[in-house]
Amino acid sequence: MSTADRIADLAARHEEAVVLAEKKAADRQHVKGKLTARERIDLLLDPGSFVELDEFVRHRTVEAGIPRPYGDGVVTGHGTVDGRQVCVFSHDFTTLGGSMGEAFGSKVVKIYDFAMSIGCPVIGINDSGGARIQEGVMSIAYYTELGVRNVHSSGVIPQISLIMGPCAGGSVYSPAITDFTVMVQDTSYMFVTGPEVVSAVMGERVTAEQLGGPAVHAEVTGNAHYVGEDERDAISWVQTLLGYLPSNNLDTPPVYHHTGDPGVTEEDLALDAVIPDGEQQVYDMADVITAVLDDGDYLEIHPDFARNIICALGRVEGHSVAVVANQPNHLAGVLDIDASEKAARFIRFCDAFSIPVLTFMDVPGYLPGVQQEHQGIIRRGIKLFYAYAESTVPKITVITRKAYGGGYAVMGSRQIGADRVMAWPTAEIAVMGARSAVPFLHRRELAAAPPEDRAELKDRLTEDYRRRFGNPYEAAAHGYVDMVIQPSRTRVEVAKALASLRNKRHTRPERKHGNIPL
Ligand code: HXC
């Protein structure tokens, strides 16, 4: 046989084996409503761009007596998404339950090291039974190796986890550290200890779904930044996300051509009527965000968790921007523990990856109550303060209405480090709102008034208070607010401010790292 024939024969046999294995995998995954490891990669990456590494790696734990399939239950390699380089690993649940042993782990670690060396994002597709029981301590060693890679890559390359099946025990360590975690409805779950152990140790009966299903992690724990209605939707969300991000911390996010109107448009004018007449009436901050961002388009992060604060990625004049906004529609946009932690982590991510932060403020303050105090709002709520204060990316703040007390200080005030603060004429920048302040300030006067006059007196005092504090001009007189703008000019002024800050510099003393309250 000639060399050429030999090569062709080997290639044909290899192709046949791959097709057979993929067919078996597809049969087992599709009945569960899941795709195979390779199908997922094909959906994620640009067609034909995937370069597989370590296809022939097999585990060396021969004495365990388990099969030694090529690839060892994980597909690793690199390719492109929208023409930009990414690295990927994808668990193959149909091979040894996608469990991680030494060979599997070494493949994942290798692709991570490669991603770090070329400075590109890593997308990990998780669908695994966890640590490979037959490989004992080696499995644990590789979970630790991977977790350490995740930590060292944090703030250097974007890291994204897709959870597309079981993710339990040691498997949760890596997604817990990565920047974004995306789950899939009905087919994914995450927990440290499963229902059987919970039942045996705690006597609590719970299903996997109730313990760590997508709804739990999207709404209650905040572990999931998005839940796809199916695997395609989850992957599509990740592709969109990548479009807003730079490849690494030394790079800048991609800039898209934008042909927006530089003047005030009909849509902009609608903002002049957004703030309702009554101070207790709510409105949807999404309307404001939509009006300001290019094409009214943005990707919400954590849409179902701590809905009192909105975190989103969008663009202004084609440049990526991170939006952090109080949502008056939910709990009056108050800051609580969940909102603080959600926004703090988002701001820290955007700061690490050079994405400017655009804040829309309408905040009545921090949420009072025994529950919040006992759950640690002092220690946990301050994370948002820390995140804003330590960030060095351009920061622009638009105050739409309430800017009360501690909430005002934290949500991108001038003093916490905003480069530009704009206020609408409807802004109320004060220690507290009139309804709280008047009974407190005028307790004696109100008590001394005849009961029949008290309501009228209170109304008058409230009106006086509003005239004095319920506006942005006191803050503007101190230079805490740089400009008072018509709401309809917000898009235009934000674009100008961001353009002026594109070359922002910052200097701070070198240090090993700060010590954010955890
Ligand atoms: C070896 C495993 C495995 C594992 C699954 N398999 N998990 N093999 N080690 N951890 C194998 C099964 O034996 C089976 O092989 C095949 O994968 C498919 O598994 P099934 O159980 O048939 O699938 P399913 O019914 O869908 O159940 C999925 C599952 C279950 C719930 C994930 O497989 C399971 O409970 N696995 C064990 C989970 C676990 O305890 N992991 C260790 C966590 S401790 P065959 O040959 O029958 O097809 C941990 C600590 C690490 O991770 C600490 C690191 C710091």
Side-chain angles (χ1 to χ4, degrees):
M1 200 187 256
S2 71
T3 302
D5 285 346
R6 220 153 16 98
I7 291 173
D9 180 52
L10 280 171
R13 276 199 280 159
H14 172 245
E15 179 68 20
E16 201 179 309
V18 168
V19 168
L20 194 68
E22 186 60 15
K23 162 102 185 48
K24 268 169 66 184
D27 289 347
R28 292 170 76 175
Q29 289 285 89
H30 292 176
V31 289
K32 296 183 191 166
K34 304 199 301 186
L35 298 174
T36 68
R38 284 199 164 74
E39 285 171 338
R40 289 163 175 165
I41 290 176
D42 286 347
L43 267 182
L44 174 69
L45 301 182
D46 296 333
S49 71
F50 183 51
V51 176
E52 184 170 354
L53 304 178
D54 292 335
E55 190 185 348
F56 298 104
V57 163
R58 306 163 82 183
H59 72 78
R60 294 167 281 275
T61 322
V62 184
E63 70 278 11
I66 45 175
R68 297 182 64 224
Y70 288 115
D72 204 51
V74 65
V75 183
T76 62
H78 58 86
T80 58
V81 174
D82 212 7
R84 300 166 68 219
Q85 193 72 46
V86 299
C87 284
V88 62
F89 65 85
S90 182
H91 297 166
D92 174 6
F93 189 80
T94 64
T95 302
L96 304 175
S99 59
M100 171 131 98
E102 186 197 18
F104 180 119
S106 65
K107 283 179 68 171
V108 174
V109 162
K110 184 169 161 183
I111 202 65
Y112 242 97
D113 290 342
F114 179 68
M116 276 289 271
S117 73
I118 62 170
C120 80
V122 177
I123 298 115
I125 304 177
N126 295 262
D127 185 0
S128 163
R132 188 172 299 160
I133 297 160
Q134 300 90 328
E135 295 202 38
V137 70
M138 286 182 294
S139 310
I140 304 175
Y142 271 95
Y143 274 115
T144 315
E145 290 267 2
L146 174 58
V148 168
R149 295 307 189 285
N150 292 135
V151 171
H152 293 175
S153 305
S154 182
V156 182
I157 50 174
Q159 303 178 75
I160 301 168
S161 297
L162 277 155
I163 313 298
M164 296 191 147
C167 183
S171 303
V172 302
Y173 289 17
S174 176
I177 302 168
T178 58
D179 300 305
F180 299 96
T181 296
V182 178
M183 297 183 75
V184 180
Q185 245 170 47
D186 301 327
T187 52
S188 63
Y189 51 86
M190 297 175 81
F191 34 68
V192 174
T193 41
E196 292 84 11
V197 180
V198 169
S199 166
V201 178
M202 309 300 291
E204 292 169 359
R205 297 187 73 78
V206 67
T207 65
E209 183 81 13
Q210 290 164 337
L211 188 61
V216 171
H217 289 307
E219 294 163 32
V220 182
T221 68
N223 286 330
H225 296 81
Y226 179 72
V227 175
E229 55 194 46
D230 56 27
E231 294 194 7
R232 277 167 207 278
D233 181 39
I235 288 173
S236 157
W237 193 88
V238 168
Q239 290 166 324
T240 308
L241 171 66
L242 286 165
Y244 291 104
L245 311 183
S247 293
N248 59 63
N249 65 326
L250 301 178
D251 203 356
T252 47
V255 179
Y256 289 79
H257 181 64
H258 176 67
T259 52
D261 194 324
V264 173
T265 63
E266 282 295 314
E267 287 91 49
D268 291 328
L269 286 170
L271 284 188
D272 289 336
V274 158
I275 301 296
D277 294 337
E279 66 166 328
Q280 296 307 313
Q281 282 175 275
V282 298
Y283 61 97
D284 190 352
M285 191 62 98
D287 293 339
V288 180
I289 299 170
T290 307
V292 172
L293 298 182
D294 291 357
D295 307 319
D297 201 21
Y298 60 90
L299 185 75
E300 196 169 346
I301 313 292
H302 266 144
D304 300 319
F305 177 64
R307 290 194 289 121
N308 32 332
I309 204 157
I310 298 171
C311 293
L313 288 161
R315 292 187 186 91
V316 172
E317 293 189 324
H319 293 261
S320 292
V321 65
V323 172
V324 179
N326 307 113
Q327 172 56 289
N329 246 350
H330 191 79
L331 299 176
V334 76
L335 289 176
D336 57 7
I337 291 171
D338 285 348
S340 304
E341 292 185 336
K342 165 179 167 178
R345 184 148 164 85
F346 181 62
I347 291 168
R348 296 192 95 221
F349 172 83
C350 294
D351 186 48
F353 290 102
S354 310
I355 304 173
V357 175
L358 172 59
T359 302
F360 293 99
M361 190 196 310
D362 185 346
V363 63
Y366 274 96
L367 182 63
V370 174
Q371 196 195 31
Q372 287 282 304
E373 295 289 346
H374 286 190
Q375 285 178 0
I377 194 164
I378 295 175
R379 172 175 61 78
R380 297 165 71 187
I382 204 67
K383 291 176 193 186
L384 186 54
F385 187 108
Y386 197 105
Y388 266 113
E390 77 168 346
S391 66
T392 57
V393 282
K395 288 184 286 297
I396 293 170
T397 299
V398 180
I399 306 173
T400 59
R401 190 171 62 172
K402 292 174 195 161
Y404 294 162
Y408 157 68
V410 171
M411 282 295 299
S413 65
R414 149 75 58 206
Q415 286 70 29
I416 208 158
D419 300 288
R420 186 71 49 85
V421 179
M422 305 173 192
W424 290 3
T426 45
E428 302 165 28
I429 306 170
V431 173
M432 58 180 80
R435 275 157 48 97
S436 309
V438 166
F440 191 74
L441 289 176
H442 302 283
R443 195 169 23 206
R444 279 190 209 92
E445 203 179 337
L446 283 165
E452 65 275 16
D453 295 345
R454 239 173 246 160
E456 197 194 321
L457 176 63
K458 198 171 169 193
D459 285 350
R460 189 165 50 75
L461 292 169
T462 302
E463 206 40 50
D464 286 350
Y465 183 94
R466 285 223 179 90
R467 217 171 336 206
R468 171 128 193 249
F469 295 110
N471 65 69
Y473 295 103
E474 179 90 5
H478 288 86
Y480 299 164
V481 163
D482 299 299
M483 51 208 294
V484 179
I485 58 167
Q486 283 301 311
S488 51
R489 289 200 60 79
T490 307
R491 185 181 59 83
V492 172
E493 296 300 342
V494 164
K496 284 187 195 168
L498 281 168
S500 74
L501 284 159
R502 228 148 255 153
N503 296 322
K504 182 187 172 188
R505 295 179 194 175
H506 57 88
T507 47
R508 289 204 185 136
E510 268 193 31
R511 60 178 171 182
K512 191 169 176 190
H513 58 71
N515 189 13
I516 187 168
L518 297 172

